[in-house]
């Protein structure tokens, strides 16, 4: 039977989505249509939802099955109808210097702030409209980046592919974490837990997860997923705890993936060893006041901003998930239907449950 329309949760105004019937596009040999299985809700989705600039279909942590595929696209991607895939959010040009050197995630063509297109961040009036995962079907752009996923992986674990890929990108590829290393991770959200898993998979000797009193459940989950220590920064001094745990050696690598405040950046610098690496993986939205830059000089620190993932790190995440060696399903706390997309976004924002972890939407549920 020919399918001509799909149901989608369209963000129509700030903090509101509406279920609408959207036409499926006619696709040529270079493109395709994905039947969406599950979508993870990301902090970026929440940001767009809270400050919507144009109607769009949100959702970019997308897992699904190929519903329709053109001959050229099938050959290029190495997939056929029915195959299960994980989508990356990027839709790069594939030709610029950034794309050619492996940094397609920074390509202007996939940067919404530069009028580029990206899954989960493209206005509905950009044809063919279906660029978001909160929909039963989604358009597969000719420049989409996809990864084949085994059928045995549970859907809620498959939805972790992109958050986990950030962990592998930042810990293994950029951070170079290996056997014997001590890693401090500031913030036990999706990204922090992903970093903990990736660090342990890379052979880190000691992984220390930090969080506030409001994140106790997440800190406990970090221990279940393999972290060696947790630090409640609401009642414990992080620098002193790291000093005690490491016998004064401090951390080889510290990453801050907390949102909002700048205090974790300062304590990250203080917790790193002389010659250590500090990664900054979250926007703060503010300038530093009264910040002592001399600590960077005195400890010869390397500081690097980290953003997004590469093709290699997504493949690493897919293989990690497919192995079934870690209890990843524990990271999923809420799974909603398409008609509950507003509830899913508010839950991910912490409005409904402050201890939420990975929130997902299953469009066919």
């Amino acid at each position: 039977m020919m399918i001509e329309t799909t149901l989608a949760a369209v963000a129509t105004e700030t903090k509101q989505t509406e279920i609408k019937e959207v036409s499926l596009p006619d696709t040529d040999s270079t493109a395709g249509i994905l039947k969406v299985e599950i979508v993870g809700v990301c902090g970026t989705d929440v940001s767009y939802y809270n400050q919507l600039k144009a109607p769009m279909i949100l959702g970019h942590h997308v897992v699904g099955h190929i519903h329709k595929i053109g001959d050229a696209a099938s050959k290029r991607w190495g997939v056929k109808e029915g195959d299960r895939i994980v989508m990356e959010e990027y839709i790069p040009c594939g030709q610029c210097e950034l794309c050619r050197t492996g940094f397609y995630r920074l390509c202007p063509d996939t940067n919404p702030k530069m009028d580029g297109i990206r899954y989960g961040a493209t206005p509905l009036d950009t044809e063919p409209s279906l660029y978001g995962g909160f929909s039963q079907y989604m358009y597969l752009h000719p420049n989409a980046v996809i990864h084949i996923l085994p059928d045995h992986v549970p859907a809620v674990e498959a939805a972790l592919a992109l958050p986990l890929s950030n962990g592998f990108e930042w810990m293994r590829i950029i951070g170079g974490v290996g056997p014997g290393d001590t890693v401090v991770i500031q913030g036990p959200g999706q990204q922090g837990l992903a970093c903990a898993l990736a660090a342990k998979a890379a052979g880190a000797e000691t992984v220390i997860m930090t969080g506030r009193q409001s994140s106790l459940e997440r800190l406990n989950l970090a221990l279940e997923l393999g972290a060696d220590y947790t630090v409640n920064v609401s009642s414990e001094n992080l620098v002193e705890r790291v000093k005690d745990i490491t016998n004064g050696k401090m951390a080889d690598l510290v990453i801050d993936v907390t949102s909002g405040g700048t205090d974790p950046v300062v304590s990250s610098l203080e917790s790193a060893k002389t010659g250590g690496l500090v990664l900054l993986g979250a926007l703060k939205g503010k300038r530093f006041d009264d910040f002592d830059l001399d600590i960077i000089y005195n400890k010869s620190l390397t500081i690097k901003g980290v953003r997004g993932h590469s093709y290699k790190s997504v493949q690493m995440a897919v293989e990690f998930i497919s192995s079934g060696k870690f209890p990843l399903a524990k990271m999923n706390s809420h799974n909603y239907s398409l008609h509950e997309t507003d509830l899913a976004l508010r839950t991910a924002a912490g409005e409904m449950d402050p201890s939420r972890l990975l929130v997902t939407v299953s469009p066919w549920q």
Side-chain angles (χ1 to χ4, degrees), residues 24-291:
L24 286 179
D26 292 326
T27 55
D28 59 21
S29 67
T30 67
I33 299 292
L34 183 77
K35 183 176 181 179
V36 179
E37 178 183 2
I38 194 167
V39 190
V41 184
C42 173
T44 303
D45 298 318
V46 174
S47 296
Y48 277 102
Y49 181 67
N50 288 337
Q51 297 180 329
L52 192 72
K53 295 181 179 179
M56 65 179 67
I57 303 171
L58 300 172
H60 60 278
H61 291 186
V62 183
V63 178
H65 292 83
I66 302 288
H67 172 70
K68 181 182 179 182
I69 189 78
D71 290 340
S74 177
K75 182 177 180 180
R76 183 176 65 253
W77 289 325
V79 296
K80 62 184 184 301
E81 290 183 5
D83 282 352
R84 192 185 194 202
I85 63 171
V86 169
M87 298 288 302
E88 293 193 34
E89 66 268 48
Y90 310 121
I91 307 175
C93 73
Q95 302 300 319
C96 69
E97 181 179 358
L98 288 165
C99 285
R100 293 295 193 183
T101 54
F103 291 95
Y104 60 83
R105 62 184 179 273
L106 303 178
C107 172
D109 278 14
T110 191
N111 186 342
K113 294 182 179 179
M114 301 177 69
D115 296 323
I117 56 175
R118 177 179 295 193
Y119 286 109
T122 300
L124 198 67
D125 61 8
T126 300
E127 296 293 339
S129 302
L130 293 172
Y131 282 106
F134 297 148
S135 176
Q136 291 179 328
Y137 291 92
M138 192 174 79
Y139 175 62
L140 291 176
H141 188 280
N143 292 348
V145 184
I146 70 174
H147 301 259
I148 297 175
L149 180 74
D151 289 333
H152 74 267
V153 178
V156 295
E157 296 186 13
L160 285 163
L162 291 194
L164 281 173
S165 70
N166 287 347
F168 280 102
E169 182 75 21
W170 303 342
M171 293 293 99
R172 188 70 192 96
I173 297 175
I174 294 175
V177 172
D181 284 344
T182 294
V183 176
V184 173
I185 301 164
Q186 299 252 51
Q190 278 188 48
Q191 306 292 358
L193 293 171
C195 286
L197 285 162
K200 293 306 288 187
E205 178 69 24
T206 305
V207 171
I208 304 168
M209 178 71 74
T210 81
R212 295 173 295 186
Q213 180 67 27
S214 58
S215 299
L216 284 181
E217 289 187 33
R218 295 184 180 193
L219 290 174
N220 290 332
L221 177 60
L223 293 174
E224 293 181 44
L225 293 173
D228 301 285
Y229 299 91
T230 59
V231 179
N232 182 342
V233 295
S234 297
S235 58
E236 300 176 275
N237 183 291
L238 174 61
V239 178
E240 291 302 318
R241 283 284 286 128
V242 174
K243 187 179 296 184
D244 290 342
I245 292 168
T246 63
N247 293 319
K249 295 179 180 179
M250 309 308 284
D252 298 281
L253 181 151
V254 186
I255 184 168
D256 173 27
V257 286
T258 64
S259 59
T262 56
D263 286 348
V265 177
V266 177
S267 61
S268 293
L269 300 176
E270 294 172 337
S271 299
K273 73 177 186 181
T274 298
L277 174 62
V278 177
L279 302 179
L280 304 178
L283 293 170
K284 300 299 181 181
K286 62 181 70 174
R287 289 180 172 271
F288 279 84
D289 294 321
D290 194 26
F291 176 57

